[in-house]
Coordinates of all heavy atoms in Angstrom, one line a residue:
M1043 N -22.6 227.0 108.9 CA -23.6 228.1 109.4 C -23.0 229.5 108.9 O -21.9 229.8 109.0 CB -23.6 228.1 110.9 CG -24.9 228.8 111.5 SD -24.7 230.5 112.0 CE -24.1 230.2 113.7
A1044 N -23.9 230.4 108.4 CA -23.4 231.7 107.9 C -22.9 232.5 109.0 O -23.3 232.5 110.1 CB -24.6 232.3 107.2
E1045 N -21.8 233.3 108.7 CA -21.1 234.1 109.7 C -21.8 235.5 109.7 O -22.0 236.1 108.7 CB -19.6 234.3 109.2 CG -18.8 233.0 109.5 CD -18.7 232.8 110.9 OE1 -18.4 233.5 111.7 OE2 -19.1 231.5 111.3
R1046 N -21.9 236.0 111.0 CA -22.4 237.4 111.1 C -21.4 238.4 110.6 O -20.2 238.3 110.8 CB -22.5 237.5 112.6 CG -23.1 238.9 113.0 CD -23.0 239.1 114.6 NE -22.9 240.6 114.9 CZ -21.8 241.3 114.9 NH1 -20.7 240.6 114.6 NH2 -21.8 242.5 115.2
L1047 N -22.0 239.3 109.8 CA -21.1 240.4 109.1 C -20.8 241.5 110.2 O -21.7 241.9 111.0 CB -21.8 241.0 108.0 CG -22.2 240.1 106.7 CD1 -22.9 240.8 105.7 CD2 -20.8 239.5 106.1
S1048 N -19.6 242.0 110.2 CA -19.2 243.1 111.0 C -20.0 244.4 110.5 O -20.5 244.4 109.5 CB -17.7 243.4 110.9 OG -17.4 243.9 109.6
A1049 N -20.0 245.3 111.2 CA -20.6 246.6 110.8 C -20.1 247.2 109.5 O -20.8 247.6 108.7 CB -20.4 247.8 111.9
D1050 N -18.7 247.1 109.5 CA -18.1 247.6 108.2 C -18.5 246.8 107.0 O -18.9 247.2 105.9 CB -16.6 247.6 108.3 CG -16.1 248.7 109.2 OD1 -16.9 249.5 109.5 OD2 -14.9 248.6 109.7
A1051 N -18.5 245.4 107.3 CA -18.9 244.6 106.1 C -20.4 244.7 105.7 O -20.7 244.6 104.5 CB -18.6 243.0 106.6
R1052 N -21.2 245.0 106.7 CA -22.6 245.2 106.5 C -22.7 246.5 105.6 O -23.4 246.4 104.6 CB -23.4 245.4 107.8 CG -24.4 244.4 108.1 CD -25.2 244.7 109.3 NE -24.8 245.7 110.3 CZ -24.2 245.6 111.4 NH1 -23.8 244.4 111.8 NH2 -24.0 246.6 112.2
K1053 N -22.1 247.5 106.0 CA -22.1 248.8 105.3 C -21.7 248.5 103.8 O -22.3 249.0 102.8 CB -21.3 249.8 106.0 CG -21.9 251.2 106.1 CD -21.1 252.2 106.8 CE -21.2 252.0 108.3 NZ -22.4 252.0 108.9
E1054 N -20.5 247.8 103.6 CA -19.9 247.5 102.4 C -21.1 246.7 101.4 O -21.3 247.1 100.4 CB -18.8 246.6 102.5 CG -18.2 246.0 101.3 CD -17.1 246.9 100.7 OE1 -16.6 247.8 101.4 OE2 -16.8 246.7 99.5
A1055 N -21.6 245.8 102.0 CA -22.7 245.0 101.3 C -23.8 245.7 100.9 O -24.4 245.5 99.8 CB -23.0 243.7 102.2
L1056 N -24.2 246.7 101.8 CA -25.4 247.4 101.6 C -25.3 248.4 100.3 O -26.1 248.7 99.6 CB -25.8 248.4 102.7 CG -26.5 247.7 103.9 CD1 -26.6 248.6 105.1 CD2 -28.0 247.4 103.4
G1057 N -24.0 248.6 100.1 CA -23.7 249.5 98.8 C -24.1 248.8 97.5 O -24.3 249.4 96.5
G1058 N -24.2 247.4 97.6 CA -24.5 246.6 96.4 C -26.0 246.2 96.3 O -26.3 245.5 95.2
I1059 N -26.9 246.7 97.2 CA -28.3 246.3 97.1 C -29.1 247.5 97.3 O -29.5 247.9 98.3 CB -28.6 245.3 98.2 CG1 -28.1 245.5 99.5 CG2 -28.3 243.7 97.6 CD1 -28.3 244.5 100.6
P1060 N -29.4 248.2 96.1 CA -30.1 249.5 96.1 C -31.4 249.4 96.9 O -32.1 248.4 96.8 CB -30.5 249.5 94.7 CG -29.5 248.9 93.8 CD -29.1 247.7 94.7
G1061 N -31.6 250.5 97.8 CA -32.8 250.6 98.5 C -32.8 250.0 99.8 O -33.7 250.2 100.7
W1062 N -31.9 249.2 100.1 CA -31.8 248.4 101.5 C -30.9 249.3 102.4 O -29.9 249.9 102.0 CB -31.2 247.1 101.3 CG -32.1 246.0 100.6 CD1 -32.1 245.9 99.3 CD2 -33.0 245.2 101.2 NE1 -33.2 245.0 99.0 CE2 -33.6 244.5 100.1 CE3 -33.3 244.9 102.5 CZ2 -34.6 243.5 100.3 CZ3 -34.2 243.9 102.7 CH2 -34.9 243.2 101.6
T1063 N -31.4 249.4 103.7 CA -30.6 250.1 104.7 C -30.6 249.2 106.1 O -31.3 248.3 106.3 CB -31.5 251.5 105.0 OG1 -32.8 251.1 105.5 CG2 -31.6 252.4 103.7
E1064 N -29.8 249.8 107.0 CA -29.7 249.2 108.4 C -31.0 249.5 108.9 O -31.7 250.5 108.7 CB -28.6 249.9 109.1 CG -27.2 249.9 108.5 CD -26.4 248.9 109.2 OE1 -26.9 248.0 110.0 OE2 -25.2 248.9 108.8
V1065 N -31.5 248.6 109.7 CA -32.7 248.8 110.6 C -32.3 249.4 112.0 O -31.4 248.9 112.6 CB -33.5 247.5 110.8 CG1 -34.6 247.6 111.8 CG2 -34.0 247.0 109.4
Q1066 N -33.1 250.4 112.3 CA -32.7 251.0 113.6 C -32.9 250.1 114.7 O -34.0 249.5 114.8 CB -33.6 252.4 113.8 CG -33.4 253.4 112.8 CD -31.8 253.8 112.8 OE1 -31.1 254.0 113.8 NE2 -31.2 253.8 111.6
G1067 N -31.8 250.1 115.6 CA -32.2 249.4 116.9 C -31.8 247.9 116.8 O -31.9 247.2 117.8
R1068 N -31.5 247.3 115.7 CA -31.3 246.0 115.7 C -30.3 245.6 114.5 O -30.2 246.4 113.6 CB -32.5 245.1 115.6 CG -33.4 245.2 114.4 CD -34.6 244.3 114.4 NE -34.3 243.0 114.0 CZ -35.2 242.2 113.5 NH1 -36.4 242.6 113.3 NH2 -34.8 240.9 113.2
E1069 N -29.5 244.5 114.6 CA -28.7 244.1 113.5 C -29.5 243.5 112.4 O -29.7 242.2 112.3 CB -27.5 243.2 114.0 CG -26.5 243.9 114.7 CD -25.2 243.1 114.8 OE1 -25.0 242.0 114.1 OE2 -24.3 243.4 115.6
A1070 N -30.0 244.3 111.5 CA -30.9 243.8 110.4 C -30.9 244.8 109.3 O -30.5 246.0 109.4 CB -32.3 243.5 110.9
I1071 N -31.3 244.3 108.1 CA -31.4 245.2 107.0 C -32.9 245.3 106.4 O -33.6 244.3 106.7 CB -30.5 244.9 105.8 CG1 -30.8 243.5 105.3 CG2 -29.0 245.0 106.2 CD1 -30.1 243.0 104.0
G1072 N -33.4 246.4 106.0 CA -34.7 246.5 105.6 C -34.9 247.4 104.3 O -34.1 248.1 103.9
K1073 N -36.0 247.2 103.6 CA -36.4 247.9 102.5 C -38.0 247.8 102.5 O -38.6 246.8 102.8 CB -35.9 247.2 101.3 CG -36.3 247.9 99.9 CD -35.5 247.4 98.7 CE -35.9 248.3 97.5 NZ -35.0 247.9 96.3
T1074 N -38.5 248.9 102.1 CA -40.0 248.9 101.8 C -40.2 249.0 100.3 O -39.8 250.0 99.6 CB -40.6 250.2 102.4 OG1 -40.5 250.1 103.8 CG2 -42.2 250.2 102.1
F1075 N -40.8 247.9 99.7 CA -41.2 247.9 98.3 C -42.5 248.4 98.1 O -43.5 248.1 98.8 CB -41.0 246.4 97.8 CG -39.8 245.8 97.7 CD1 -39.3 245.2 98.9 CD2 -39.0 245.8 96.6 CE1 -38.1 244.6 99.0 CE2 -37.7 245.2 96.6 CZ -37.2 244.6 97.8
V1076 N -42.7 249.2 97.0 CA -44.1 249.8 96.7 C -44.4 249.4 95.3 O -43.6 249.6 94.4 CB -44.2 251.3 96.9 CG1 -45.6 251.8 96.6 CG2 -43.8 251.7 98.3
F1077 N -45.6 248.7 95.2 CA -45.9 248.3 93.8 C -47.2 248.9 93.3 O -47.7 249.8 93.9 CB -46.2 246.7 94.0 CG -45.1 245.9 94.4 CD1 -44.7 245.7 95.7 CD2 -44.2 245.5 93.5 CE1 -43.6 245.0 96.1 CE2 -42.9 244.8 93.8 CZ -42.7 244.5 95.1
R1078 N -47.7 248.6 92.0 CA -48.8 249.3 91.4 C -50.1 249.1 92.2 O -50.9 249.9 92.4 CB -49.0 248.8 90.0 CG -48.1 249.6 89.0 CD -48.7 249.5 87.7 NE -48.6 248.1 87.1 CZ -47.7 247.5 86.3 NH1 -46.6 248.5 85.9 NH2 -47.7 246.4 86.0
D1079 N -50.2 247.7 92.8 CA -51.4 247.4 93.5 C -51.2 246.3 94.3 O -50.1 245.6 94.4 CB -52.6 247.2 92.4 CG -52.2 246.2 91.4 OD1 -51.3 245.4 91.6 OD2 -52.8 246.3 90.2
F1080 N -52.1 245.7 95.0 CA -52.1 244.6 95.8 C -51.6 243.4 95.1 O -50.8 242.6 95.5 CB -53.3 244.3 96.6 CG -53.3 243.0 97.5 CD1 -52.6 243.0 98.7 CD2 -53.9 241.8 96.9 CE1 -52.6 241.9 99.4 CE2 -53.9 240.6 97.7 CZ -53.1 240.6 99.0
N1081 N -52.2 243.2 93.9 CA -51.9 242.0 93.1 C -50.4 241.9 92.8 O -49.8 240.9 92.9 CB -52.7 242.2 91.7 CG -52.6 240.9 90.8 OD1 -51.6 240.7 90.4 ND2 -53.6 240.1 90.8
E1082 N -49.8 243.1 92.4 CA -48.4 243.0 92.2 C -47.6 242.8 93.4 O -46.6 242.0 93.5 CB -48.0 244.4 91.7 CG -48.5 244.7 90.3 CD -47.4 244.8 89.2 OE1 -46.3 245.2 89.7 OE2 -47.6 244.5 88.0
A1083 N -48.0 243.4 94.7 CA -47.3 243.2 95.9 C -47.4 241.7 96.3 O -46.4 241.2 96.6 CB -48.0 244.1 96.9
F1084 N -48.6 241.1 96.2 CA -48.6 239.7 96.6 C -48.0 238.8 95.6 O -47.5 237.8 96.1 CB -50.1 239.3 96.8 CG -50.2 238.2 97.7 CD1 -50.2 238.3 99.0 CD2 -50.4 237.0 97.2 CE1 -50.3 237.1 100.0 CE2 -50.6 235.8 98.0 CZ -50.4 236.0 99.4
G1085 N -48.0 239.2 94.4 CA -47.2 238.4 93.3 C -45.6 238.4 93.7 O -45.0 237.3 93.6
F1086 N -45.2 239.5 94.1 CA -43.9 239.6 94.6 C -43.6 238.8 95.7 O -42.6 237.9 95.8 CB -43.5 241.1 94.9 CG -42.3 241.3 95.7 CD1 -41.0 241.2 95.1 CD2 -42.4 241.4 97.1 CE1 -39.8 241.4 96.0 CE2 -41.1 241.6 97.9 CZ -39.9 241.5 97.4
M1087 N -44.5 238.7 96.8 CA -44.3 238.1 97.9 C -44.4 236.5 97.6 O -43.6 235.7 98.2 CB -45.4 238.3 99.0 CG -45.3 239.7 99.5 SD -46.6 240.2 100.7 CE -46.0 239.4 102.1
T1088 N -45.3 236.1 96.7 CA -45.3 234.7 96.3 C -44.0 234.2 95.7 O -43.5 233.2 96.1 CB -46.5 234.5 95.3 OG1 -47.6 235.0 95.8 CG2 -46.7 233.1 95.0
R1089 N -43.4 234.9 94.9 CA -42.2 234.7 94.2 C -41.0 234.7 95.2 O -40.2 233.7 95.3 CB -41.9 235.6 93.1 CG -43.0 235.4 91.9 CD -42.6 236.2 90.6 NE -41.4 235.6 90.1 CZ -41.0 235.9 88.8 NH1 -41.8 236.9 88.3 NH2 -40.0 235.3 88.3
A1090 N -41.1 235.7 96.0 CA -39.9 235.9 97.0 C -40.1 234.6 98.1 O -39.0 234.2 98.5 CB -39.9 237.1 97.8
A1091 N -41.3 234.3 98.4 CA -41.4 233.2 99.3 C -40.8 231.9 98.8 O -40.2 231.1 99.7 CB -42.9 232.9 99.7
L1092 N -41.0 231.6 97.6 CA -40.5 230.4 97.1 C -38.9 230.4 97.0 O -38.3 229.4 97.3 CB -41.0 230.2 95.6 CG -42.5 230.0 95.5 CD1 -42.9 229.8 94.0 CD2 -42.9 228.7 96.3
V1093 N -38.4 231.5 96.7 CA -36.9 231.7 96.8 C -36.4 231.6 98.2 O -35.4 230.9 98.4 CB -36.5 233.1 96.3 CG1 -35.1 233.5 96.5 CG2 -36.8 233.1 94.6
A1094 N -37.0 232.2 99.1 CA -36.6 232.1 100.6 C -36.7 230.6 101.0 O -35.8 230.1 101.7 CB -37.6 232.9 101.3
E1095 N -37.8 229.9 100.6 CA -38.0 228.5 101.0 C -36.7 227.7 100.4 O -36.2 226.8 101.1 CB -39.3 227.9 100.6 CG -39.7 226.6 101.1 CD -39.6 226.5 102.6 OE1 -39.6 227.5 103.3 OE2 -39.6 225.3 103.0
K1096 N -36.4 227.9 99.2 CA -35.4 227.2 98.5 C -34.1 227.5 99.2 O -33.2 226.6 99.3 CB -35.3 227.7 97.0 CG -34.7 226.6 96.2 CD -35.0 227.0 94.7 CE -34.0 226.6 93.7 NZ -34.0 227.4 92.4
M1097 N -33.9 228.6 99.7 CA -32.7 229.0 100.4 C -32.7 228.5 101.9 O -31.7 228.6 102.7 CB -32.4 230.5 100.5 CG -32.0 231.2 99.2 SD -32.0 233.0 99.3 CE -30.7 233.1 100.5
D1098 N -33.8 228.2 102.3 CA -34.0 227.9 103.8 C -33.7 229.2 104.6 O -33.0 229.1 105.6 CB -33.3 226.6 104.4 CG -33.7 226.3 105.7 OD1 -34.9 226.6 106.1 OD2 -32.8 225.8 106.5
H1099 N -34.0 230.3 104.1 CA -33.8 231.6 104.7 C -34.9 232.5 104.5 O -35.3 232.8 103.4 CB -32.5 232.2 104.1 CG -32.0 233.4 105.0 ND1 -31.4 233.0 106.2 CD2 -32.0 234.7 104.8 CE1 -31.0 234.3 106.7 NE2 -31.3 235.2 105.9
H1100 N -35.6 232.9 105.7 CA -37.0 233.6 105.6 C -37.0 235.0 106.0 O -36.3 235.4 106.9 CB -37.9 232.7 106.3 CG -37.9 231.3 105.9 ND1 -36.9 230.3 106.3 CD2 -38.7 230.6 104.9 CE1 -37.1 229.1 105.7 NE2 -38.2 229.2 104.8
P1101 N -37.7 235.8 105.4 CA -38.0 237.2 105.7 C -38.9 237.4 106.8 O -39.7 236.6 107.1 CB -38.4 237.8 104.4 CG -39.2 236.8 103.7 CD -38.5 235.4 104.1
E1102 N -38.7 238.6 107.4 CA -39.8 239.1 108.3 C -40.4 240.2 107.4 O -39.7 241.0 106.9 CB -39.2 239.7 109.5 CG -38.2 238.9 110.4 CD -37.4 239.7 111.4 OE1 -37.8 240.7 111.9 OE2 -36.2 239.4 111.4
W1103 N -41.6 240.1 107.3 CA -42.2 241.0 106.3 C -43.8 241.3 106.6 O -44.4 240.6 107.3 CB -42.2 240.7 104.8 CG -42.5 239.3 104.4 CD1 -43.1 238.3 105.3 CD2 -42.3 238.6 103.2 NE1 -43.3 237.2 104.5 CE2 -42.9 237.3 103.2 CE3 -41.9 239.1 101.9 CZ2 -42.9 236.5 102.1 CZ3 -41.8 238.3 100.8 CH2 -42.2 236.9 100.9
R1104 N -44.2 242.5 106.2 CA -45.4 243.0 106.4 C -46.0 243.7 105.1 O -45.4 244.4 104.5 CB -45.3 244.1 107.5 CG -46.7 244.8 107.9 CD -46.3 245.7 109.2 NE -47.6 246.3 109.6 CZ -48.0 247.6 109.2 NH1 -47.2 248.3 108.3 NH2 -49.2 248.1 109.6
N1105 N -47.1 243.3 104.8 CA -48.0 243.8 103.6 C -49.2 244.5 103.9 O -50.0 244.0 104.6 CB -48.2 242.6 102.7 CG -49.3 243.0 101.5 OD1 -50.3 242.5 101.6 ND2 -49.0 243.9 100.7
V1106 N -49.2 245.9 103.5 CA -50.4 246.6 103.5 C -50.8 247.1 102.1 O -50.0 247.9 101.5 CB -50.2 247.8 104.4 CG1 -51.5 248.6 104.5 CG2 -49.8 247.4 105.9
Y1107 N -51.8 246.5 101.5 CA -52.2 246.8 100.2 C -51.0 246.7 99.1 O -50.6 245.6 99.0 CB -52.8 248.2 100.2 CG -53.3 248.7 98.8 CD1 -54.1 247.9 98.0 CD2 -53.0 249.9 98.3 CE1 -54.5 248.3 96.8 CE2 -53.3 250.3 97.0 CZ -54.1 249.5 96.3 OH -54.5 249.9 95.0
K1108 N -50.5 247.8 98.6 CA -49.4 247.7 97.6 C -48.0 247.9 98.1 O -47.1 247.9 97.4 CB -49.7 248.7 96.4 CG -49.6 250.1 96.9 CD -49.8 251.1 95.7 CE -49.8 252.6 96.1 NZ -49.9 253.5 95.0
T1109 N -47.9 247.9 99.5 CA -46.6 248.1 100.1 C -46.2 246.7 100.8 O -47.1 246.1 101.5 CB -46.8 249.2 101.2 OG1 -47.1 250.4 100.4 CG2 -45.4 249.4 101.9
V1110 N -44.9 246.4 100.6 CA -44.3 245.3 101.4 C -43.1 245.8 102.1 O -42.2 246.2 101.4 CB -44.0 244.1 100.4 CG1 -43.4 243.0 101.2 CG2 -45.1 243.8 99.5
E1111 N -43.2 245.7 103.4 CA -42.0 246.1 104.2 C -41.3 244.9 104.6 O -41.8 243.9 105.2 CB -42.4 246.8 105.6 CG -43.2 248.1 105.4 CD -43.9 248.5 106.6 OE1 -43.5 248.0 107.7 OE2 -44.8 249.3 106.5
V1112 N -40.0 244.8 104.3 CA -39.2 243.5 104.5 C -38.0 243.9 105.4 O -37.3 244.9 105.3 CB -38.6 243.0 103.1 CG1 -37.9 241.7 103.4 CG2 -39.7 242.9 102.1
V1113 N -37.8 243.0 106.4 CA -36.6 243.1 107.2 C -35.9 241.7 107.2 O -36.6 240.7 107.2 CB -37.1 243.3 108.8 CG1 -35.8 243.1 109.7 CG2 -37.6 244.7 108.9
L1114 N -34.6 241.7 107.0 CA -34.0 240.6 106.9 C -32.8 240.5 107.9 O -32.0 241.5 108.1 CB -33.2 240.5 105.4 CG -34.0 240.4 104.3 CD1 -33.3 240.4 103.1 CD2 -35.0 239.2 104.3
S1115 N -32.6 239.3 108.6 CA -31.5 239.0 109.6 C -31.4 237.6 109.7 O -32.3 236.8 109.4 CB -31.7 239.8 110.9 OG -32.6 239.0 111.7
T1116 N -30.2 237.1 110.1 CA -30.0 235.6 110.3 C -30.2 235.4 111.7 O -29.3 235.6 112.5 CB -28.8 235.2 109.7 OG1 -28.6 235.6 108.4 CG2 -28.6 233.6 109.7
H1117 N -31.3 234.8 112.2 CA -31.6 234.6 113.5 C -30.5 233.7 114.1 O -30.0 233.9 115.2 CB -33.0 234.0 113.7 CG -34.1 234.8 112.9 ND1 -34.9 234.2 112.1 CD2 -34.2 236.0 113.0 CE1 -35.7 235.1 111.5 NE2 -35.3 236.3 112.0
D1118 N -30.2 232.6 113.3 CA -29.2 231.6 113.9 C -27.8 232.4 114.2 O -27.1 231.9 115.1 CB -29.0 230.5 112.9 CG -30.2 229.7 112.7 OD1 -31.1 229.8 113.6 OD2 -30.3 228.9 111.6
A1119 N -27.5 233.4 113.5 CA -26.2 234.0 113.7 C -26.2 235.3 114.5 O -25.3 236.0 114.9 CB -25.6 234.4 112.4
G1120 N -27.4 235.7 114.9 CA -27.7 236.9 115.6 C -27.2 238.2 115.0 O -26.9 239.2 115.6
G1121 N -27.4 238.2 113.6 CA -27.1 239.5 112.9 C -27.3 239.3 111.5 O -28.1 238.3 111.1
V1122 N -26.7 240.1 110.7 CA -26.9 240.1 109.2 C -25.7 239.2 108.6 O -24.5 239.4 109.1 CB -26.7 241.5 108.6 CG1 -26.8 241.5 107.1 CG2 -27.9 242.4 109.2
T1123 N -26.1 238.2 107.8 CA -25.1 237.3 107.1 C -25.1 237.5 105.6 O -26.1 238.2 105.1 CB -25.2 235.9 107.6 OG1 -26.5 235.5 106.9 CG2 -25.3 235.8 109.0
N1124 N -24.3 236.8 104.9 CA -24.4 236.9 103.5 C -25.7 236.2 102.9 O -26.2 236.5 101.8 CB -23.3 236.1 102.9 CG -22.0 237.0 102.9 OD1 -22.1 238.3 102.8 ND2 -20.8 236.3 103.2
L1125 N -26.3 235.4 103.8 CA -27.7 234.9 103.3 C -28.8 236.1 103.3 O -29.5 236.2 102.4 CB -28.2 233.9 104.4 CG -27.5 232.5 104.4 CD1 -27.9 231.6 105.6 CD2 -27.8 231.8 103.1
D1126 N -28.7 237.1 104.0 CA -29.5 238.2 104.0 C -29.2 239.1 102.8 O -30.1 239.5 102.2 CB -29.3 238.9 105.3 CG -29.8 238.1 106.6 OD1 -30.8 237.7 106.6 OD2 -28.9 238.0 107.4
I1127 N -27.9 239.2 102.5 CA -27.6 240.0 101.4 C -28.0 239.3 100.0 O -28.5 239.8 99.2 CB -26.0 240.2 101.4 CG1 -25.5 240.8 102.6 CG2 -25.5 241.0 100.1 CD1 -26.1 242.1 103.0
E1128 N -27.8 237.9 100.0 CA -28.3 237.2 98.9 C -29.7 237.2 98.7 O -30.2 237.4 97.5 CB -27.8 235.7 99.1 CG -28.1 234.7 97.9 CD -27.9 233.3 98.2 OE1 -27.1 233.0 99.2 OE2 -28.4 232.4 97.5
L1129 N -30.5 237.1 99.7 CA -31.9 237.1 99.6 C -32.4 238.6 99.2 O -33.3 238.8 98.4 CB -32.7 236.8 100.9 CG -34.1 236.7 100.9 CD1 -34.7 235.8 99.7 CD2 -34.7 236.1 102.2
A1130 N -31.8 239.6 99.8 CA -32.1 241.0 99.4 C -31.9 241.2 98.0 O -32.6 241.8 97.2 CB -31.2 242.0 100.2
T1131 N -30.8 240.7 97.4 CA -30.3 240.8 96.0 C -31.5 240.2 95.2 O -32.0 240.8 94.2 CB -29.0 240.1 95.7 OG1 -28.0 240.8 96.6 CG2 -28.6 240.4 94.3
K1132 N -31.9 239.0 95.6 CA -32.9 238.3 94.9 C -34.2 239.0 94.8 O -35.0 239.0 93.8 CB -33.0 236.7 95.3 CG -31.8 236.0 94.9 CD -31.7 234.5 95.5 CE -30.6 233.8 94.9 NZ -30.4 232.5 95.7
M1133 N -34.6 239.5 96.0 CA -35.8 240.3 96.1 C -35.8 241.5 95.2 O -36.8 241.8 94.6 CB -36.0 240.7 97.6 CG -36.6 239.6 98.5 SD -36.8 240.2 100.1 CE -38.0 239.0 100.7
N1134 N -34.7 242.2 95.1 CA -34.5 243.3 94.2 C -34.8 242.9 92.7 O -35.6 243.6 92.0 CB -33.3 244.1 94.3 CG -33.2 245.0 95.5 OD1 -34.1 245.2 96.3 ND2 -32.0 245.7 95.6
A1135 N -34.3 241.7 92.4 CA -34.5 241.2 91.0 C -35.9 240.9 90.7 O -36.5 241.2 89.7 CB -33.6 240.0 90.9
I1136 N -36.5 240.2 91.7 CA -37.9 239.8 91.6 C -38.9 241.2 91.5 O -39.7 241.2 90.6 CB -38.5 239.0 92.8 CG1 -37.7 237.7 92.8 CG2 -39.9 238.7 92.8 CD1 -37.9 236.9 94.2
A1137 N -38.5 242.1 92.2 CA -39.3 243.3 92.3 C -39.2 244.0 90.9 O -40.3 244.6 90.4 CB -38.9 244.3 93.3
K1138 N -38.1 244.0 90.3 CA -37.9 244.6 89.0 C -38.8 243.9 88.0 O -39.5 244.5 87.1 CB -36.4 244.4 88.5 CG -35.6 245.6 89.0 CD -34.4 245.8 88.1 CE -33.6 247.0 88.4 NZ -33.4 247.1 89.9
L1139 N -39.0 242.6 88.1 CA -39.7 241.8 87.2 C -41.2 242.1 87.4 O -41.9 242.0 86.5 CB -39.5 240.3 87.3 CG -38.0 239.9 87.1 CD1 -37.9 238.4 87.5 CD2 -37.7 240.0 85.7
T1140 N -41.6 242.4 88.5 CA -43.1 242.6 88.8 C -43.5 244.0 88.9 O -44.7 244.3 89.2 CB -43.5 241.9 90.1 OG1 -42.6 242.3 91.1 CG2 -43.3 240.3 90.0
Q1141 N -42.6 245.0 88.7 CA -43.1 246.4 88.8 C -43.4 247.0 87.4 O -42.8 246.5 86.5 CB -42.1 247.3 89.6 CG -42.2 247.0 91.0 CD -41.2 247.8 91.9 OE1 -40.0 248.0 91.4 NE2 -41.5 248.2 93.0
Ligands
HBI2446 N1 -34.4 232.4 108.3 N2 -34.0 234.7 108.6 C1 -33.7 233.3 108.9 N3 -32.8 233.2 109.8 C2 -32.6 232.0 110.3 O1 -31.6 231.9 111.1 C3 -33.2 230.9 109.7 C4 -34.2 231.1 108.7 N4 -34.9 230.2 108.1 C5 -34.6 228.8 108.5 C6 -33.5 228.6 109.4 N5 -32.9 229.6 110.0 C7 -33.2 227.1 109.7 O2 -31.9 227.0 109.4 C8 -33.2 226.9 111.3 O3 -34.6 227.2 111.7 C9 -33.0 225.4 111.6

């Protein structure tokens, strides 16, 4: 089971994933992706969903038109783990391909 990251480790990890920040009021990280249109936004979600399923690690996300708000935390660990950092990294890579 993935280990919960300490506040310092979380801050350190955030340095390596551009655009991701701590979520206020809970141990989670978040990022809002903005795409050209809904088609691009949903394409991102489709690809990210397949990656998440393969990892067995799933995002909390909300899509409004061309915007996708993502929050990541590891529910089983009660905080942020390396799985969240890994999925965030992969989401950044997918977003680059679809923007
Ligand atoms: N996704 N974000 C997140 N956090 C979890 O703890 C988690 C998950 N997806 C699947 C999953 N846990 C399974 O391991 C458990 O539901 C068994």
Side-chain angles (χ1 to χ4, degrees):
M1043 205 260 278
E1045 286 299 306
R1046 179 186 158 280
L1047 297 176
S1048 67
D1050 288 349
R1052 243 185 353 256
K1053 223 174 281 313
E1054 170 90 19
L1056 280 170
I1059 40 177
W1062 291 83
T1063 61
E1064 304 255 11
V1065 171
Q1066 291 308 314
R1068 58 179 287 202
E1069 282 199 15
I1071 59 172
K1073 177 171 183 177
T1074 298
F1075 293 87
V1076 181
F1077 296 93
R1078 275 202 295 262
D1079 53 28
F1080 175 76
N1081 186 290
E1082 292 247 333
F1084 202 78
F1086 164 80
M1087 293 180 81
T1088 303
R1089 297 184 69 167
L1092 296 179
V1093 167
E1095 187 59 12
K1096 203 161 154 205
M1097 287 177 62
D1098 188 30
H1099 193 71
H1100 303 87
E1102 302 160 41
W1103 49 4
R1104 178 172 181 266
N1105 160 243
V1106 178
Y1107 180 48
K1108 64 181 180 176
T1109 299
V1110 181
E1111 294 168 21
V1112 184
V1113 172
L1114 300 177
S1115 78
T1116 304
H1117 311 124
D1118 296 344
V1122 176
T1123 69
N1124 282 326
L1125 288 171
D1126 299 302
I1127 306 304
E1128 181 185 344
L1129 183 51
T1131 303
K1132 289 175 176 173
M1133 283 184 159
N1134 276 5
I1136 293 167
K1138 271 203 175 41
L1139 299 175
T1140 48
Q1141 281 180 324

